[in-house]
Each structure stands twice: as C-alpha cells, then as structure tokens.
Amino acid sequence: MSFVETEEQRELRKAVADLGEKYGWQYMLEKSQKGEKTTELWDEAGKLGFLGVNLPEEYGGGGAGMYELSLVLEELAAAGTGLLMMVVSPAICGTIIARYGTEEQKQKWLPGIADGSITMAFGITEPDAGSNSHKIITTARPDGDEWLLTGRKTYISGIDQSQAVLVVSRTEDAKTGKLKPALFIVPTDAENFEYQPIEMGIMSPEKQFSLFFDDVRLPADALVGSEDAGLMQLFAGLNPERIMASAMAIGMARYALNKATNYAKERQVFKTPIGAHQAIAHPLAQCHIEIELAKLMMQKAAVLYDSGDDWGAASAANMAKYAAGEVGTKTVDQAVQTHGGNGLAMEYGLVPLIAASRLTKIAPVSREMILNFIAQANLGLPKSY
C-alpha cells in the first residue's frame, strides 16, 4: 500500500470536489427542508462516472475499487453534499451482484446502478433483529418455480427513491439455527410490498422506512447467489458498507473542521482572531489529527478489500468505522463550539450535522458491536454476544 495516491486518484478527488462545490451545502439544506431528493446531484454524479467507479467496466462501471468509491463519497461529504445512497446502491448492492449475481442479473442491474439511473436499497434490519442478524425472520418459501417473501424490515434508507431493494431473508427450511441468508432483489412496485416512512429527527433528503412483505411473489431469478451460500455473500456487501460509512463520517468531519477553522481565522472578539487562542486552536488541531488517523484506517480497509483479503478488511473496516464515527461527532461538536451562538444558526451550515454526526456512532453498526468484534477477532477474548 502506498501513501501516495496515483495521478488518476488525485484527479478523481479534484473532479468530485468540484462537483460538490458546484452544489454546496445550501443545496442539500434546501432539498432537506422541502422534502425533495438530490436528483440533480445524483444524476450528474452518475453521468460523470462517480457512482459506479467500483463496478466492473464490462457493466458500465469504472473498473476501480472501494478505495475510489470511498474517495468519491469522502469528497462529496467534505463539500457538504454527501450522498447516503452511495453507501447502499453501488457499495453494498452493486458489489454483491457483481460478485454473486448471474450474468443476466449483472446485465440487468449493474449498468443502471453504475450510471445512477437505477438506485437499489438494502434491507437487513428488522424490528427484532437489529445488531443480531441471526434473528432475522423474513422468510422466502418456494412456490413452484417462484418464491413467496414474507416479513418486515425497518430503518431502511431511500426506498422512495429506489427501483428495487436487495432483501436479506431466510429460506423456509432455515428458520432455526445459524443464519444462512438468502438475498432477493425485490422491485419497489411489487404487489403485496408496502413501505411507510419513519419520522426522524435528522434533517436529510434521504428518508428511513419500515417495509412490509406479505407473500410477495418473486421469479426464480430474483435470488442473488445461492440460497445455501452462507454468510460470505452477505459480508461481501457489509465490509464495503463500513468503509463507505467511514468515508461519509470523515468527509462530514472535514466539512465541519473547514467551517470552524475559517471562522476562527476571521472572528475577532478581543485583539486577535479567536483562532490565535489555544483554547480554540488545540481542539481543532486534535480533530485534524484524528480525522487523518481515521482516514488512514479507512484507506487500509479499502486496499485490503480491493486486494481480496475479506477477513483482513473486516477488522480494518470496523476499526475505520469506529474511528470515523468518534471523530465525526467530536469535530461537529467542536465546530459548533468554535462558532459559539452562531454554531446554532442555520446560516452557518452546522446545525443539521449535530444529529447526523451522532448517527455515525450508531449506524450501520454501533460502536459497541464494533468493540465486541475487535475484542473477539483481534484480541482473542471470549465472545460476549
């Protein structure tokens, strides 16, 4: 792994940063306040090849990897224009289909995911199966050459802007024992599939939903991979999810730190700008250090994943997610504190991040579950869950 990015990667950063700056945080705020989607930004990012940079070239992607896709989301979030569905559609769903889908499934879904004309949501969390995915009860049972899907999901992002959702379920004969996930692509307009919005306190263009499946009939080719493939086909998407969640949090932290440092250079209360005072300067310097440390672990995770080391990437991706969530929350809080009362005024662009940054310590995996995983996988301690 080199700490020097290639010329192509540097050019990609610059191009994505320019796109983010073109729209800016005011665009995201306006969309959130009006309850509208970031359609213009999403479509332009797709046309420029940013959304599918990790997907195979033969299916319309950029042929790169998670390093490049996380780079895209980091730069967008650093401009205040982070796109949550990038974590889901190209990173989770696109990766799983590219790895385990049939040729027909790849031809049908990947080009649209790559150019943004198709957005795919991901459904794993259930009301009684949050961190413990082994308690998933959404069930698919065979019916001739078709499947019938029944169950519920909750806190699923972006269903209202998606054409399909990749649903994690069990098969009927695998309701007991260890989870053997069966993954199905379900069109969002499928008969007997309903969804309802969840009222959240986070200001975001992307909404959260509860999903309801009542004998949703699916063709045989809705199944992605094998119904007996085990956990590997699921974790093919969850490691990218953690890497991309880290990118979102790191970009958010960079955005908040940039706001704070610019304000600290200009705001003068006594004889000098407030940034000259160590009480302001040192906490911001600490945030910068911790952002860079989290970013290094995220990049390590992406390189390991792109090299095919799934197990090595799992530990690194979890560590990156932990570090990014911690510094994301810390930096937003410090940026607000640096601004004083202005930090709570909408015009300074920090208020929406107070709740959003807190979410980075909870989703898509909580800091506590990450610590459980690291204690067991890296320290060899007894399993506690």
Side-chain angles (χ1 to χ4, degrees):
M1 175 182 177
S2 173
F3 290 99
V4 179
E5 292 188 342
T6 65
E7 182 178 353
E8 290 79 6
Q9 289 167 337
R10 292 194 299 271
E11 290 176 350
L12 179 60
R13 277 195 188 276
K14 176 63 166 58
V16 176
D18 288 345
L19 177 64
E21 184 178 354
K22 173 183 174 180
Y23 284 87
W25 67 269
Q26 296 94 339
Y27 167 83
M28 302 296 284
L29 177 61
E30 181 180 343
K31 291 294 182 180
S32 298
Q33 291 174 328
K34 292 183 177 180
E36 297 176 353
K37 306 305 173 192
T38 55
T39 305
E40 302 88 353
L41 174 57
W42 182 267
D43 289 348
E44 187 165 354
K47 290 176 183 176
L48 292 171
F50 297 156
L51 299 181
V53 70
N54 64 310
L55 299 175
E57 288 183 281
E58 58 266 39
Y59 304 107
M66 283 308 305
Y67 189 104
E68 288 74 17
L69 190 66
S70 63
L71 178 161
V72 170
L73 184 54
E74 180 195 340
E75 292 301 326
L76 286 175
T81 57
L83 294 170
L84 174 61
M85 292 308 290
M86 281 191 65
V87 179
V88 181
S89 191
I92 302 176
C93 302
T95 297
I96 290 174
I97 294 171
R99 276 205 185 189
Y100 295 102
T102 63
E103 181 61 27
E104 290 75 16
Q105 288 170 335
K106 293 175 185 178
Q107 293 283 358
K108 180 177 181 180
W109 297 106
L110 292 183
I113 292 175
D115 68 17
S117 59
I118 292 174
T119 303
M120 188 175 290
F122 180 67
I124 182 171
T125 303
E126 297 184 359
D128 296 317
S131 296
N132 188 358
S133 298
H134 291 276
K135 293 179 66 178
I136 284 175
I137 61 172
T138 296
T139 305
R141 68 181 190 275
D143 185 49
D145 293 333
E146 299 178 316
W147 294 88
L148 292 174
L149 184 70
T150 299
R152 290 182 59 189
K153 299 291 179 182
T154 191
Y155 291 112
I156 308 304
S157 302
I159 290 293
D160 59 335
Q161 61 194 87
S162 300
Q163 288 72 46
V165 53
L166 183 61
V167 176
V168 182
S169 70
R170 293 177 179 271
T171 52
E172 191 174 33
D173 60 354
K175 285 186 178 180
T176 59
K178 294 184 178 181
L179 174 64
K180 295 178 70 176
L183 308 180
F184 289 89
I185 299 174
V186 182
T188 51
D189 61 356
E191 188 176 358
N192 298 328
F193 171 35
E194 297 181 359
Y195 52 88
Q196 296 176 354
I198 301 172
E199 186 174 354
M200 303 289 290
I202 297 174
M203 185 178 293
S204 171
E206 296 92 359
K207 307 304 179 186
Q208 301 296 310
F209 294 86
S210 293
L211 314 186
F212 304 90
F213 307 96
D214 184 13
D215 277 351
V216 176
R217 185 170 296 277
L218 300 171
D221 63 4
L223 176 68
V224 178
S226 168
E227 62 183 272
D228 298 314
L231 289 170
M232 284 308 297
Q233 62 185 19
L234 175 58
F235 282 106
L238 295 188
N239 281 337
E241 177 189 50
R242 283 148 176 71
I243 293 169
M244 291 293 282
S246 303
M248 190 88 163
I250 288 167
M252 185 186 302
R254 285 177 51 196
Y255 166 85
L257 183 60
N258 183 58
K259 286 275 189 182
T261 53
N262 287 338
Y263 187 84
K265 291 173 186 176
E266 298 171 358
R267 175 67 169 166
Q268 185 169 323
V269 178
F270 295 102
K271 294 181 179 180
T272 61
I274 61 173
H277 303 300
Q278 292 177 347
I280 298 294
H282 283 186
L284 296 179
Q286 286 179 321
C287 289
H288 176 70
I289 291 169
E290 292 172 28
I291 289 170
E292 290 300 309
L293 292 173
K295 184 173 178 177
L296 282 173
M297 185 55 73
M298 177 188 71
Q299 291 172 327
K300 177 181 179 180
V303 169
L304 288 170
Y305 186 83
D306 291 338
S307 68
D309 185 355
D310 287 345
W311 180 247
S315 289
N318 275 287
M319 292 182 198
K321 166 62 179 61
Y322 175 91
E326 294 295 310
V327 74
T329 306
K330 176 178 179 177
T331 305
V332 168
D333 182 74
Q334 191 58 48
V336 171
Q337 192 69 24
T338 299
H339 282 72
N342 285 336
L344 299 176
M346 290 298 291
E347 68 176 289
Y348 287 85
L350 292 171
V351 173
L353 298 187
I354 295 174
S357 65
R358 190 61 184 79
L359 181 62
T360 65
K361 297 173 72 169
I362 299 171
V365 59
S366 71
R367 65 191 301 275
E368 289 76 20
M369 286 306 297
I370 290 174
L371 293 173
N372 282 336
F373 176 84
I374 297 301
Q376 179 192 350
N378 294 86
L379 302 183
L381 295 173
K383 188 173 183 178
S384 61
Y385 60 96

